């Protein structure tokens, strides 16, 4: 009788605890602060219904983003190649993985990702959704070179993670799906919208004559014609998030989008990156071949290479490009640098 | 008494059933479907990137990007716009609800009228990079049609057939505009219940009627070309026609 009573009491206690957990650990919706320019000019960001932003989920995602436990030998985190001080990329042409191996593409900067309306991520668009993208680096043998089972076990054995997952997702059982969901939540909070040019558009800053002329070169179809791929004052993302062959090579060693679609017409096409924060994101292009902005501008001005898939927006290929004057090049660079967001790279709330 | 009760229940159930059926019948809708062709040969995004079309002037061309703006479809009864993106196969079919049976003049506008072509106003168009630089008066593209052609030197080269509101920028401080959007009237259509209306879009017309288009002379930098914009607008008027209505 006594045993039965103890059993019954324990059962009731457990039931009580379980219901209390559910009661206590209801995540708080995260208030994504949408910058004024984005709210005025753009459609709403993409937040998946099966992974809404919560205070607990974002905080957990941030902790995971900076945690080296995700790598095979506990030596690298996401932030190793996506350094907040570098607008969430790094300064090397190719990042080295935990075994000292190098990839073939430059680490992409991370910001304003919730406004990638097509949700095709990485240089060749192979990952559909931020959640799916986050699966890749952990198991990639030349990046973090771990496996998700091992990562989940390590996190499960940690003193704090089970409780943080319980708070974020209502379960303390950790798996790769929840880890990537949390990281994706954090990544959606990385918003850059406080550059000098943003302030100019809001009437809070003045451009120099050089920056102003540089913006005109950028927007002039007969000069830079950059806006067709890289946005404008009405598209503060400064990218179309589409894939273009911008005339880097006559033949391709990296097929880019073509590798994903299998369509030869997509060979040599890569995502047009945002031109925000170029001050922090050198080297440039999908393979980091250009170390300076001057080299980038020279490429579009005189360095275009003809190929079968080169974008029709690339003009005067026989002359190597649009042949900007020295002054227009310098002014274009000044404008591009006016899109640098110092507040973003120094924002403590998204840093470790 | 029992018989009356059963009868009453049957009547109530019948009425109740009728009500349920009424509530769940789908309202009639119109499906407006844009199909594309090159002088009658059907064209989809699967035909992109291939030098398989020939302009009236004799240039072989490929299409790599084709998206255009349609506004003020009269059947919808409110101010509206859609972006037809042939390359991404989006916007090519539109469902319009709540149109009563009857005979209608089917009209819509290519592009945006001057009054509605307001810089930065449309969030969707901003988001997909469809706007026009302020130095050309702002507002939006009406069409982005990019591809390649074989030029007179037998070289494959790009073209950007972009249509916007025509702007005369002889004096950059005093831009002069001409509205090059235009209304298209496809004639009378009979709407009876669910109806599918095909709008045929003949891309070849952009290059031939009334202005024979020579890509060797006009292939890129057309946005700021006042005369070219007026010519493109004139050519666009024969692009759209009514297809099958069923």
């Amino acid at each position: 009788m006594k045993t039965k009573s103890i059993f019954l009491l324990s059962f009731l206690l457990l039931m009580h605890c379980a219901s209390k957990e559910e009661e206590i650990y209801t995540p708080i919706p995260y208030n994504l602060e949408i910058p004024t320019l984005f709210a005025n000019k753009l459609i709403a960001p993409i937040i998946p219904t099966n992974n809404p932003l919560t205070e607990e989920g974002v905080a957990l995602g941030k902790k995971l983003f900076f945690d080296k436990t995700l790598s095979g030998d506990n030596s690298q985190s996401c932030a190793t190649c996506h350094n907040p001080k570098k607008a969430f990329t790094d300064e090397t042409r190719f990042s080295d993985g935990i075994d000292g191996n190098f990839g073939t593409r430059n680490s992409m900067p991370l910001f304003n990702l919730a406004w990638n309306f097509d949700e095709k991520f990485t240089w060749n668009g192979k990952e559909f959704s931020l959640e799916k993208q986050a699966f890749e680096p952990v198991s990639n043998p030349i990046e973090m070179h771990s496996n998700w089972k091992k990562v989940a076990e390590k996190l499960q054995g940690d003193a704090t993670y089970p409780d943080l997952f319980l708070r974020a997702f209502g379960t303390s059982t950790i798996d790769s799906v929840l880890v990537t969901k949390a990281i994706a939540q954090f990544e959606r909070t990385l918003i850059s919208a406080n550059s000098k040019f943003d302030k100019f558009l809001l009437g809070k800053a003045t451009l120099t004559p050089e920056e102003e002329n540089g913006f005109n070169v950028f927007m002039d179809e007969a000069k830079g014609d950059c806006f067709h791929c890289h946005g404008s004052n009405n598209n503060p993302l400064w990218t179309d998030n589409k894939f273009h062959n911008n005339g880097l090579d006559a033949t391709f060693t990296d097929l880019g989008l073509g590798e994903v679609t299998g369509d030869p017409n997509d060979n040599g096409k890569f995502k047009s990156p945002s031109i925000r924060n170029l001050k922090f994101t050198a080297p440039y292009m999908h393979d980091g071949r250009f170390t300076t902005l001057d080299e980038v501008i020279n490429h579009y001005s005189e360095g275009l290479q003809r190929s079968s898939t080169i974008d029709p927006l690339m003009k005067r290929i026989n002359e190597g490009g649009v042949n900007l004057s020295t002054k227009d090049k310098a002014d274009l660079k000044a404008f591009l640098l006016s899109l640098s967001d110092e507040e973003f790279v120094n924002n403590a709330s998204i840093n470790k | 008494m029992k018989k009356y009760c059963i009868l009453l229940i049957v009547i109530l159930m019948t009425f109740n059933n009728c009500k349920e059926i009424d509530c769940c019948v789908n309202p009639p809708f119109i499906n407006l479907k844009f199909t594309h062709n090159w002088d009658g040969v059907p064209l989809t995004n699967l035909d992109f990137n291939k030098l398989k079309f020939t302009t009236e002037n004799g240039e072989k061309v490929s299409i790599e990007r084709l998206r255009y703006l349609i506004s003020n479809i009269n059947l919808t009864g409110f101010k509206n716009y859609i972006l037809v993106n042939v390359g991404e196969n989006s916007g090519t079919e539109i469902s319009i609800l709540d149109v009563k049976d009857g005979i209608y003049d089917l009209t819509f506008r290519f592009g945006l009228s001057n009054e509605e072509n307001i810089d930065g106003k449309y969030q969707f168009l901003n988001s997909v990079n469809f706007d026009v630089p302020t130095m050309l008066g702002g507002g939006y593209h009406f069409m982005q049609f990019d591809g390649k052609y074989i030029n007179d030197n037998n070289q494959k080269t790009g073209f950007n057939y972009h249509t916007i509101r025509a702007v005369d920028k002889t004096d950059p401080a005093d831009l002069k505009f001409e509205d090059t959007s235009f209304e298209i009237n496809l004639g009378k259509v009979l709407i009876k219940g669910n109806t599918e209306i095909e709008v045929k879009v003949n891309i070849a017309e952009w290059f031939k009627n009334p202005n024979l288009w020579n890509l060797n002379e006009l292939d890129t930098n057309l946005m700021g070309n006042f005369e070219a914009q007026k010519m493109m607008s004139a050519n666009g008027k024969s692009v759209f026609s009514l297809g099958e209505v069923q």
Side-chain angles (χ1 to χ4, degrees):
Chain A
M1 181 65 193
K2 197 179 169 189
T3 315
K4 275 185 182 172
S5 298
I6 290 169
F7 180 76
L8 186 63
L9 196 64
S10 304
F11 178 74
L12 288 172
L13 198 65
L14 275 172
M15 290 299 290
H16 177 71
C17 288
S19 64
K20 205 172 177 187
E21 272 177 0
E22 278 172 20
E23 216 172 276
I24 292 170
Y25 299 129
T26 302
I28 301 161
Y30 183 92
N31 180 29
L32 190 68
E33 281 184 41
I34 298 178
T36 306
L37 282 174
F38 289 27
N40 290 346
K41 299 290 186 184
L42 300 174
I43 56 176
I46 308 272
I47 310 291
T49 50
N50 66 354
N51 192 23
L53 300 188
T54 65
E55 293 282 352
E56 294 82 355
V58 170
L60 172 60
K62 179 183 169 188
K63 184 174 167 61
L64 290 164
F65 190 88
F66 289 98
D67 194 337
K68 294 177 178 176
T69 306
L70 269 62
S71 63
D73 63 356
N74 302 321
S75 68
Q76 290 192 351
S77 68
C78 305
T80 306
C81 303
H82 297 283
N83 176 358
K85 292 283 181 196
K86 300 282 177 189
F88 290 86
T89 179
D90 61 15
E91 66 278 9
T92 59
R93 182 174 180 187
F94 306 125
S95 314
D96 58 333
I98 64 164
D99 303 322
N101 296 324
F102 290 86
T104 56
R105 299 205 183 113
N106 189 240
S107 151
M108 291 198 90
L110 308 177
F111 49 80
N112 303 338
L113 303 173
W115 283 268
N116 178 353
F117 301 111
D118 290 342
E119 292 202 85
K120 289 178 183 170
F121 293 93
T122 75
W123 282 109
N124 63 3
K126 72 173 177 177
E127 306 291 357
F128 183 77
S129 88
L130 270 178
E131 282 77 3
K132 285 189 182 150
Q133 192 283 325
F135 273 107
E136 161 75 10
V138 167
S139 52
N140 189 316
I142 55 172
E143 294 186 44
M144 298 165 97
H145 200 181
S146 186
N147 70 66
W148 276 106
K149 194 170 172 237
K150 204 188 271 182
V151 169
E153 281 170 7
K154 283 197 278 182
L155 296 174
Q156 197 73 63
D158 184 90
T160 55
Y161 273 117
D163 185 52
L164 295 176
F165 276 84
L166 178 66
R167 288 169 186 273
F169 296 111
T171 175
S172 55
T173 305
I174 299 171
D175 65 15
S176 58
V177 173
L178 296 183
V179 173
T180 53
K181 276 188 168 184
I183 291 173
Q185 283 192 40
F186 170 63
E187 288 178 323
R188 290 193 176 95
T189 69
L190 305 178
I191 299 174
S192 172
N194 277 320
S195 68
K196 180 183 179 184
F197 198 84
D198 295 309
K199 290 169 186 163
F200 160 71
L201 291 176
L202 293 167
K204 295 175 181 169
T206 312
L207 296 184
T208 65
E210 290 77 19
E211 289 164 341
E212 202 172 325
N213 181 50
F215 177 54
N216 289 336
V217 172
F218 183 91
M219 297 295 288
D220 191 333
E221 194 192 28
K223 288 191 174 180
D225 190 12
C226 313
F227 72 97
H228 277 117
C229 302
H230 283 290
S232 68
N233 51 310
N234 283 327
N235 183 338
L237 302 175
W238 299 100
T239 173
D240 61 358
N241 277 312
K242 302 286 185 192
F243 300 84
H244 302 270
N245 173 351
N246 61 344
L248 289 171
D249 298 301
T251 55
F252 312 119
T253 50
D254 186 342
L255 298 183
L257 181 64
E259 182 187 343
V260 177
T261 64
D263 183 349
N265 293 308
D266 291 331
N267 288 352
K269 293 182 180 176
F270 295 90
K271 181 188 280 287
S272 39
S274 173
I275 52 158
R276 281 184 178 275
N277 296 318
L278 295 175
K279 181 178 176 184
F280 316 111
T281 61
Y284 308 103
M285 301 293 159
H286 68 278
D287 55 5
R289 67 178 67 188
F290 299 134
T291 52
T292 66
L293 272 182
D294 298 295
E295 287 177 65
V296 174
I297 292 169
N298 287 340
H299 162 71
Y300 288 110
S301 184
E302 294 101 37
L304 295 182
Q305 300 292 311
R306 182 187 292 278
S307 66
S308 60
T309 62
I310 190 168
D311 199 288
L313 289 165
M314 298 292 120
K315 298 185 176 72
R316 294 166 61 185
I317 303 166
N318 283 347
E319 297 156 65
V322 289
N323 288 275
L324 296 176
S325 69
T326 305
K327 173 163 172 47
D328 279 350
K329 283 183 184 177
D331 290 354
L332 178 57
K333 184 178 170 184
F335 158 68
L336 293 172
L337 291 173
S338 78
L339 284 163
S340 306
D341 185 350
E342 303 277 353
E343 291 170 43
F344 175 66
V345 297
N346 291 310
N347 183 350
S349 71
I350 52 173
N351 216 319
K352 196 175 181 183
Chain B
M1 184 63 194
K2 196 180 170 188
K3 252 166 63 178
Y4 285 115
C5 279
I6 291 169
L7 184 64
L8 185 66
I9 289 167
V10 169
I11 291 168
L12 283 173
M13 281 177 71
T14 307
F15 277 14
N16 200 35
N17 281 346
C18 285
K19 201 177 166 190
E20 275 181 15
I21 289 165
D22 284 345
C23 83
C24 299
V25 169
N26 289 329
F29 70 94
I30 295 167
N31 195 38
L32 200 61
K33 188 175 177 181
F34 289 81
T35 65
H36 301 85
N37 68 85
W38 188 282
D39 279 340
V41 178
L43 181 162
T44 69
N45 56 355
L46 298 176
D47 300 298
F48 277 32
N49 304 300
K50 296 165 189 161
L51 283 165
K52 62 187 291 186
F53 308 107
T54 306
T55 66
E56 189 75 357
N57 198 49
E59 288 109 16
K60 276 200 172 303
V61 299
S62 67
I63 302 169
E64 295 193 12
R65 190 177 298 112
L66 176 56
R67 49 185 194 163
Y68 56 87
L69 189 60
I70 296 294
S71 67
N72 288 330
I73 303 166
N74 67 324
L75 299 177
T76 60
F78 58 88
K79 302 280 182 193
N80 55 76
Y81 70 84
I82 56 158
L83 185 67
V84 180
N85 189 332
V86 185
E88 296 185 356
N89 201 20
S90 61
T92 49
E93 288 194 39
I94 315 145
S95 286
I96 304 168
L97 299 174
D98 300 328
V99 180
K100 288 179 183 159
D101 288 357
I103 296 173
Y104 292 82
D105 273 321
L106 176 56
T107 64
F108 53 81
R109 178 166 287 276
F110 177 78
L112 291 166
S113 67
N114 249 350
E115 297 71 42
E116 291 175 336
N117 194 7
I118 301 162
D119 193 53
K121 180 182 176 184
Y122 305 102
Q123 287 171 308
F124 176 73
L125 296 179
N126 298 334
S127 300
V128 297
N129 256 20
F130 214 58
D131 57 322
V132 167
T134 314
M135 65 178 72
L136 296 177
Y140 296 92
H141 283 77
F142 302 158
M143 180 171 72
Q144 289 178 343
F145 179 11
D146 298 318
K148 297 199 179 88
Y149 74 102
I150 304 294
N151 67 16
D152 285 347
N153 297 323
N154 206 29
Q155 270 188 322
K156 194 154 88 166
T157 191
F159 70 83
N160 311 127
Y161 196 103
H162 290 201
T163 64
I164 64 170
R165 169 176 50 192
V167 53
D168 178 353
K169 51 189 177 64
T170 311
D171 177 2
D174 183 23
L175 300 177
K176 293 193 168 43
F177 301 103
E178 186 166 317
D179 189 352
T180 42
S181 70
F182 49 87
E183 189 182 86
I184 298 153
N185 188 336
L186 295 184
K188 296 200 183 303
V189 290
L190 172 66
I191 307 291
K192 200 174 177 189
N194 294 350
T195 307
E196 181 166 281
I197 304 171
E198 180 191 19
V199 178
K200 290 178 164 178
V201 186
N202 183 358
I203 309 299
E205 286 290 333
W206 285 110
F207 297 104
K208 64 176 171 185
N209 180 27
N211 300 298
L212 182 66
W213 201 267
N214 184 344
L215 277 169
N216 286 274
E217 292 168 1
L218 293 166
D219 58 358
T220 57
N221 298 341
L222 304 183
M223 291 176 69
N225 186 329
F226 189 58
E227 294 306 320
Q229 287 300 327
K230 289 195 288 183
M231 287 164 65
M232 290 191 278
S233 175
N235 282 11
K237 283 162 191 155
S238 53
V239 164
F240 300 88
S241 63
L242 187 63
E244 284 188 31
V245 180
Q246 53 189 4

